Amino acid sequence: MKIIFLEGENLGEDMVFTPFLHLGEVTIYPSTSEKEMPERVKDADIIVANKLPMCEETLKDAKNLKLVCLTATGINNLDGEYLKKRGIHACNVAGYSTDAVAQHTFAMLFYLWEKLSFYDDYVKSGAYMKNRSFSYFSQRFYELSGKTWGIIGMGAIGQKVAGIAEAFGCKVICYSASGRKYQLPSNRKQVDFDTILKESDILSIHAPLNSQTENLIDLQALKKMKPTSVLINVARGPIVNQEDLYTALTQNMIAGAGLDVLKQEPMAEDNPLIKIQDSKKLLITPHMAWAPVETRFRCRDEVVKNIEAFLAGEDRNRVY
């Protein structure tokens, strides 16, 4: 079996690939462009990739291809109809990053909620040394207890976030863009879109990107949110309209936003959000919520198990 890694560096410079070596002949490319892809996969039996498109244009010369393994949960880069037509199986990894993404959700929230960039700068500037009082809190901030935390997408990550939010004393409400009816404990409530926008003090997004969620958070949605609210997106960039978010933040329609994902990654030079340099208002991280050391190595191990299952004639995490 010829196993071709197309985006090895996406798992980190510290990644160890030896668990794959017993599975076949392994070739690892740190990165691959769409233009380079057809040549690199033409003899592959198995492809391991992350964001590259898996479609006729990139795979037509891969005559031996039997399996595509993603080092990710999202499958937007897979042309399912083409893969099924060719009889090519495809697997993702699911559930490996739940704790990590929930952790990052709260890291972003607290950074914004308690104006931590301002207070860190205040101390390090030397201003605190000249303060007459032992304490300084010119930028107002609030307790989480008693606030309403809205969650869009109550899958594994959404449920993890809900549990942590409740531990801080938040009331949790949720919304499903697909209309799915969640099975919820009595202390959580599923609401419609207008309600989650209007009632949430914190609104976090943990939903997949699809036709129902793309541009879900647009200007009309942002206008319905509380001017004191904070938006967190650790799901997929296109769920939030970037231009509309820029308008909402610069016109103080909401208090702040934390984004780990963007419409284009790496960030496009013309992204209007780069103009907002106030870290009390906007925090952007480079799609890293999934990337603690343990999480990345767990992702690797899940891909190994997917390939082992395939070679044994079993389906594991199969999406096509």
Side-chain angles (χ1 to χ4, degrees):
M1 283 286 170
K2 291 189 176 181
I3 303 171
I4 308 295
F5 275 80
L6 295 174
E7 302 169 271
E9 69 182 13
N10 281 5
L11 288 174
E13 295 180 358
D14 58 346
M15 183 49 57
V16 177
F17 293 94
T18 50
F20 291 94
L21 298 183
H22 75 283
L23 298 172
E25 178 186 334
V26 180
T27 302
I28 301 169
Y29 295 101
S31 65
T32 300
S33 68
E34 288 186 40
K35 185 177 180 180
E36 293 171 324
M37 189 174 162
E39 175 63 26
R40 291 184 174 182
V41 304
K42 65 181 183 179
D43 296 323
D45 295 292
I46 298 171
I47 293 172
V48 182
N50 187 283
K51 300 298 183 188
L52 286 166
M54 299 292 148
C55 57
E56 183 172 7
E57 183 177 351
T58 56
L59 301 179
K60 61 184 178 182
D61 295 327
K63 305 301 183 184
N64 301 325
L65 186 61
K66 303 170 182 65
L67 175 67
V68 172
C69 281
L70 297 182
T71 57
T73 302
I75 59 173
N76 303 85
N77 58 323
L78 300 181
D79 183 338
E81 292 304 313
Y82 177 72
L83 294 176
K84 286 188 284 187
K85 178 182 175 182
R86 287 272 312 271
I88 299 169
H89 291 209
C91 299
N92 69 346
V93 284
Y96 74 99
S97 64
T98 299
D99 291 344
V101 177
Q103 173 179 301
H104 196 70
T105 299
F106 281 86
M108 300 191 92
L109 183 278
F110 287 125
Y111 183 88
L112 294 161
W113 192 254
E114 297 200 352
K115 311 292 194 299
L116 295 182
S117 64
F118 173 84
Y119 288 112
D120 185 47
D121 289 344
Y122 173 78
V123 172
K124 290 177 179 175
S125 71
Y128 183 40
M129 298 175 188
K130 303 171 185 176
N131 200 46
R132 289 186 298 177
S133 172
F134 75 95
S135 185
Y136 183 75
F137 42 87
S138 66
Q139 293 287 317
R140 299 172 73 186
F141 58 102
Y142 303 90
E143 294 180 351
L144 271 186
S145 182
K147 301 300 185 292
T148 297
W149 191 301
I151 295 175
I152 297 177
M154 192 62 91
I157 296 172
Q159 291 181 50
K160 185 76 174 185
V161 169
I164 300 170
E166 287 165 347
F168 278 101
C170 292
K171 169 190 173 184
V172 171
I173 59 176
C174 63
Y175 168 74
S176 170
S178 68
R180 174 187 173 189
K181 185 68 175 176
Y182 296 125
Q183 297 297 315
L184 300 171
S186 59
N187 59 321
R188 300 175 190 170
K189 184 180 180 182
Q190 185 167 352
V191 299
D192 61 28
F193 191 46
D194 276 2
T195 300
I196 203 167
L197 294 171
K198 292 175 181 178
E199 294 189 2
S200 296
D201 297 293
I202 303 100
L203 180 61
S204 61
I205 303 171
H206 309 286
L209 176 63
N210 53 44
S211 60
Q212 295 157 322
T213 59
E214 187 169 5
N215 281 315
L216 180 68
I217 305 299
D218 59 9
L219 191 59
Q220 293 306 308
L222 290 159
K223 285 180 177 178
K224 294 176 182 177
M225 294 177 67
K226 296 180 181 181
T228 54
S229 65
V230 172
L231 173 69
I232 305 289
N233 185 13
V234 290
R236 290 292 181 266
I239 296 175
V240 177
N241 184 293
Q242 294 174 163
E243 291 75 19
D244 290 352
L245 180 60
Y246 173 82
T247 299
L249 289 170
T250 54
Q251 296 185 14
N252 298 315
M253 294 177 190
I254 63 173
L259 308 175
D260 186 54
V261 288
L262 298 167
K263 184 177 180 179
Q264 180 179 328
E265 296 170 348
M267 189 177 196
E269 292 184 5
D270 62 353
N271 189 322
L273 294 173
I274 197 64
K275 293 185 283 187
I276 301 177
Q277 295 292 304
D278 182 356
S279 293
K280 301 188 305 298
K281 188 177 289 287
L282 176 64
L283 170 63
I284 302 176
T285 52
H287 204 144
M288 55 167 282
W290 69 281
V293 172
E294 300 92 337
T295 314
R296 290 184 287 107
F297 278 76
R298 188 179 304 120
C299 178
R300 176 204 65 183
D301 293 343
E302 286 294 302
V303 174
V304 170
K305 291 175 183 177
N306 286 345
I307 296 174
E308 288 175 337
F310 173 78
L311 295 178
E314 303 167 0
D315 286 340
R316 185 178 190 274
N317 291 325
R318 183 177 173 184
V319 293
Y320 292 112

